[in-house]
Structure formats: structure tokens, C-alpha cells
Amino acid sequence: MIGAADPVRRNNYGLGMDNATSRDTPGIGHRQMFIGGSWVDALDGGRFVTVNPATGAEIGSVPRGRAADVDRAVAAARNAFDSGRWGQSVAERDRARVLFRMADLVRERRDDLARLEVLDCGKPIGDAEADIDEVAFMFEYYAGWATKIMGDIPPVGPDAMSLVVKEPVGVCGLIVPWNYPMLMAAQKVAPALAAGCTVVLKPAEQTPLSALVMAEIAAEAGVPDAVFNVVTGVGVEAGEPMLTDPRVDKISFTGSLAVGRHIQRTCADDLKRVTLELGGKSPNIVFADAPMPEAVSGSCLGVFGNQGEVCSAGSRVLVQRSIHDEFVAAMVAETEAIRLGSGLDRSVTMGPLVSAAQMERVNGFIDSAPADGARLVHAGRRPDDPVLAGGFFVPPMIFAVDDQRPRIAREEIFGPVMTVIPFDDEAEAIRLAHDTEYGLAAAIWTTDISRAMRTARALRAGVVWVNDSQPAPSEAMWGGYKQSGVGRELGPYALDAYLESKQIYINLGG
């Protein structure tokens, strides 16, 4: 029955966080995953720890779900869908009420959720608060769509009627990344639930905590048992079984290109519906007539925002040659104001990377860049607070290159590393922008509206910003061209990924 959940199921993951400061690492404790409406451990008892990336200190542990755990989560979701517990036998307005309630609960717990995100993935507290605000809005937005999913009546002649109806696709395996843990989860969960699907969510092993809180919120809001399940675990152990299980109708994944290719190949065997939001090496094109202060700050935000852990990061900054040196100097000055530290400190503007492995990967790009032909223009500094000595910090870096042959100008780094590349004219800027396997996003800085529109139309990218960088409104569309993905998310476009179309043909007696 849809309604208020049994309060004894509440896990209260926010406790102990109200007084957290930049020097505190409140214990999260030993958590369980959520399957079939119950909090459970892994069947084999396995667990793994989650750490605060600002200090490297352990803050808690979660179950290490494996194939057997995924099997019971998928079985629960399949049963919930086939029995109509949430989809076709539940009124759309009832689903909407539950999603509106989820939005309210997210807002009520905003402060705790934001702090939890900081502790789990490292981002500054202000950025985390903005993420949580958008999570609440996303549930609200798709709650509104739950009552507005409509089909069509195509004309088929006077002696028949054809009804095209929309139905939920079924059981959805949702695999989310670690850079925006709760936001990316909501980006998939909200439209899936609005469409009437059931869900098995697998958060990234680096950042599992907010997904578990989302399960708690869903239960409290009245999502029926087994409609929303969360399995924590390592990708190959907890994600892979969803790809090969024929009871799963759809996979939605956000992450790396390599994993996305593997998912598409694997899901082809069952012809699963697949949505992939993959990597990027986005161009940020600055013309000589750009609005200089805005272009400087926007270009730096595009690379250094969220520690550079952004799939759409404008890490290739293409600058018209006549302003190249002036623009680089201005970006260096802007970058020098960035302050690294614990995300719980409100004076901090850049936190640590998510893990030691990611830090080592990004440092590998930095260390090899000079030998590859890149010139170091600016290097930031790690925080000097001894409490943060074990943190996974990489300071912002700016490199200049003459062309796009160096590795840092071609490969996705997913860290605060900017590559500046000169160009002479509009045609060369477009050619350089296209010289990549990716096509997720691009930014254009110019005061010439005709040039802006010509360039935007020419660029093969799913999202193009003009005189701005990185906005991703939930009401609009998100997704990429080329190797940056398959399908679209956000806005009404996301609903298509969770719906099937059925034609009902009625002979009227002709």
C-alpha cells in the first residue's frame, strides 16, 4: 500500500553530523543495503570501507554485495513490477504524491545530506548543498511528469482505431558514478519511478552512503517494498550481474567510456535497453571578442569546478592566438585564488579527489606532460594543514601546448588539469574542437551572436553553452554525441528511456 512507511525501518543515517567541522570525521558506522524493503547485509558477510578523501581516514563500512545479493534484489524488483505494486495498477497521481514527498524529505535533511556528500566524495560544502537542492527539485520535477505521460491516437481510417499507449519498461539497473553521488542517482531514479518502473541502484563503491539514505527516504515517503532497492559493492561484482540477468529490462550507466563499451556489448545478448552517459574532453572556445572577465572565470570553473571530476569539464581551452598570452595570464591569476582543503570548511573552494587511485591517475598525467611536449604554466599547492596530509589532493594545473598531440590534450583526465591550445580563426577552432572521440559538451565565448550561432550549430556535441560553462538544468536535456554516450537524460527526454510504446488496434466493424 502506498502511504507513510513503517517508522521502525528508518535508519537515520544523518545522525552525528550536525557538529562536523573541517577537522571532524564523524563516524558513519556499519551500514546495510536495502533489498525488498529490508536492511540487509551481504549474504557472504563481506564488507568494504568508505573513507573521507580529505584525510584518508575510514568513516564507515557497507556490505560488499556480490552476484547472490544482486540476484535477490533483481528478484524482488521483478516481483514488485510483475505484481503491479508500483506500475500499471497504481494511479499516476499516487506515484506523484510519493515523489513529491521524497522531494520534501530531501529538503528536510538538506544539511545532513550535504555533509554526508562532502565526507564521502570530498567536494566543497556549498557545492554539495547545491547538489542536494537539485536532488529535491528533480524528484519534484518528475513527480509532475508522473501524471502527464500520454500516448497518441494516429489516424488509421474510418473502420479502426489505433491507440499508442506508454508503459513502464520494467526492472531497471541503475549504475551511478562517484563525482555527484546523490544527484546522479536521482537523475536516474526519479524518472524511472515516475514512469512506473522498479529499480536496483548500484552506487559507486567510492561513494555509497547517500544512495542508502535515498532508500531510507523512499521508504519513508511511501515507495512500496521492493520497488526501490540498493546494492552496494564493487563494479565487477555487483554491477556485472545486472548486465547479464535477463530479468533486468534496462541498464542506465554513467561513467567511463571503457566501461560503457563493455556494458553495451554485454547487454546486446539480451537486447536490453541501454542509456550510457560517458566521458568527455570538452572544448572551451574563447574568441578574441569574448567578454574577458566572464570568459576567464567561466573557463576556470569549467576545468576546476568539482575538482575537475566532471564528465563535461572544458579541459581543452582553445584561445584565439591574438589574446592567448593575455588570457592565460588572467586564468593563472584566477587560479591562484583557489583554496584547497576539507570541503567542510566554507572558505575552501576545491576539495580532494575522491580516492587515492584517482589522485595517482591524475598525477600520472601531470608527471608525464612535460616529456610529451606540454609546458607547465601554473601549478597550485596542496594544503599545508597536517590534518589533511593523508588527503587525496591534486592542486589546479595549467599547461600550454602548441597542438593536440600531447596526451593531456586528448585523454579524459577527470582532475583539475587545464590544457590551453591556440587557434587562428573560427574554422580552425571548430576543427580542433572536433579532433576527439568525444562529443559531450562545448562552450563558446564571444560577443558576436552570429559567430556564436554558427559555431554552436557546427559543433558535434550534445550540449553547447554560449558565454557560460557547466549549467545543467534538470528541465533540459543531457547527453552526448560520438563516444560520449547513447540516449538522453534529464527533462522529459529522460522519461523515454523508461517507457515502452504499445499500439492497440481496434477493428470498429468495417
Side-chain angles (χ1 to χ4, degrees):
M1 177 178 177
I2 294 179
D6 183 348
V8 300
R9 292 193 299 168
R10 182 166 177 166
N11 234 353
N12 208 7
Y13 285 114
L15 286 180
M17 300 177 61
D18 289 338
N19 298 315
T21 69
S22 62
R23 292 179 176 274
D24 294 332
T25 305
I28 303 301
H30 298 287
R31 298 306 180 192
Q32 295 175 300
M33 52 192 173
F34 195 66
I35 296 177
S38 299
W39 296 101
V40 298
D41 291 314
L43 288 170
D44 67 0
R47 303 190 70 83
F48 65 95
V49 301
T50 182
V51 302
N52 178 356
T55 63
E58 178 182 333
I59 58 175
S61 70
V62 298
R64 183 165 182 160
R66 291 183 166 87
D69 303 293
V70 175
D71 177 77
R72 57 176 171 165
V74 170
R78 184 79 257 170
N79 180 66
F81 182 80
D82 292 343
S83 65
R85 198 175 304 165
W86 178 248
Q88 292 177 310
S89 65
V90 174
E92 292 81 2
R93 62 180 60 187
D94 289 330
R95 291 206 301 270
R97 289 191 188 102
V98 172
L99 291 172
F100 277 124
R101 179 58 179 150
M102 288 184 70
D104 291 340
L105 290 171
V106 169
R107 288 195 177 97
E108 289 175 14
R109 304 186 190 185
R110 175 182 186 261
D111 292 347
D112 278 354
L113 286 169
R115 289 175 179 268
L116 189 65
E117 292 285 78
V118 174
L119 288 171
D120 217 14
C121 72
K123 66 178 61 189
I125 184 67
D127 293 355
E129 289 168 343
D131 289 356
I132 301 306
D133 289 342
E134 196 66 13
V135 168
F137 173 73
M138 209 171 287
F139 280 112
E140 199 168 61
Y141 176 80
Y142 286 107
W145 270 110
T147 57
K148 300 166 187 69
I149 298 171
M150 292 179 284
D152 201 2
I153 305 177
V156 293
D159 298 324
M161 178 175 287
S162 177
L163 308 177
V164 177
V165 297
K166 299 287 186 178
E167 297 179 348
V169 72
V171 177
C172 300
L174 310 180
I175 305 173
V176 299
W178 40 256
N179 54 337
Y180 293 91
M182 196 172 199
L183 184 60
M184 290 291 190
Q187 184 170 308
K188 300 179 188 298
V189 170
L193 293 181
C197 298
T198 59
V199 165
V200 179
L201 172 65
K202 196 209 86 68
E205 54 263 33
Q206 298 89 345
T207 54
L209 299 177
S210 59
L212 298 174
V213 183
M214 187 180 288
E216 178 187 325
I217 286 171
E220 186 172 345
V223 175
D225 290 349
V227 168
F228 180 45
N229 308 272
V230 179
V231 177
T232 53
V234 178
V236 70
E237 297 173 351
E240 187 75 14
M242 286 198 289
L243 309 183
T244 56
D245 194 320
R247 296 169 297 178
V248 175
D249 300 293
K250 176 183 174 57
I251 294 291
S252 180
F253 168 79
T254 299
S256 73
L257 173 56
V259 175
R261 286 170 171 163
H262 170 74
I263 288 173
Q264 190 165 45
R265 284 193 298 266
T266 305
C267 289
D269 288 341
D270 291 328
L271 295 181
K272 281 184 174 59
R273 298 272 293 276
V274 175
T275 299
L276 302 173
E277 201 267 272
L278 307 177
K281 191 68 175 176
S282 300
N284 183 89
I285 304 171
V286 184
F287 288 101
D289 65 346
M292 185 65 75
E294 293 85 357
V296 169
S297 60
S299 298
C300 289
L301 171 66
V303 184
F304 303 133
N306 207 58
Q307 301 72 246
E309 296 172 320
V310 183
C311 55
S312 59
S315 54
R316 290 186 296 146
V317 181
L318 312 181
V319 182
Q320 197 153 19
R321 200 176 300 273
S322 61
I323 64 165
H324 178 275
D325 293 349
E326 173 192 1
F327 195 80
V328 170
M331 287 195 297
V332 168
E334 181 92 4
T335 304
E336 286 176 342
I338 294 174
R339 181 168 183 265
L340 272 70
S342 166
L344 293 175
D345 182 345
R346 288 195 178 272
S347 68
V348 162
T349 54
M350 180 183 287
L353 298 187
V354 73
S355 66
Q358 184 63 14
M359 177 181 67
E360 292 169 7
R361 181 179 186 275
V362 174
N363 281 333
F365 279 97
I366 294 169
D367 294 342
S368 65
D372 206 19
R375 302 181 302 280
L376 180 62
V377 174
H378 174 76
R381 297 177 299 278
R382 284 177 56 93
D384 54 13
D385 186 340
V387 174
L388 306 178
F392 312 134
F393 292 95
V394 173
M397 299 283 182
I398 300 177
F399 286 91
V401 299
D402 296 324
D403 52 46
Q404 295 192 140
R405 284 178 292 181
R407 182 169 166 243
I408 61 166
R410 304 194 66 82
E411 297 184 26
E412 185 178 38
I413 298 173
F414 230 67
V417 181
M418 175 189 289
T419 305
V420 186
I421 307 160
F423 69 88
D424 288 312
D425 55 26
E426 188 177 313
E428 185 181 15
I430 293 170
R431 180 182 63 79
L432 290 170
H434 287 163
D435 186 19
T436 175
E437 63 186 337
Y438 297 110
L440 182 54
I444 302 164
W445 300 88
T446 179
T447 52
D448 183 335
I449 186 61
S450 295
R451 170 182 284 152
M453 291 307 300
R454 280 195 310 271
T455 308
R457 291 291 298 271
L459 291 173
R460 288 189 55 75
V463 181
V464 179
W465 300 296
V466 177
N467 295 334
D468 209 334
S469 180
Q470 304 305 315
S474 297
E475 305 94 323
M477 180 224 79
W478 188 262
Y481 285 28
K482 302 197 294 187
Q483 300 293 302
S484 285
V486 176
R488 295 294 183 263
E489 295 190 298
L490 298 181
Y493 310 92
L495 289 167
D496 291 339
Y498 300 98
L499 293 168
E500 293 279 19
S501 296
K502 174 188 288 183
Q503 182 197 179
I504 302 173
Y505 181 93
I506 305 169
N507 186 327
L508 299 179

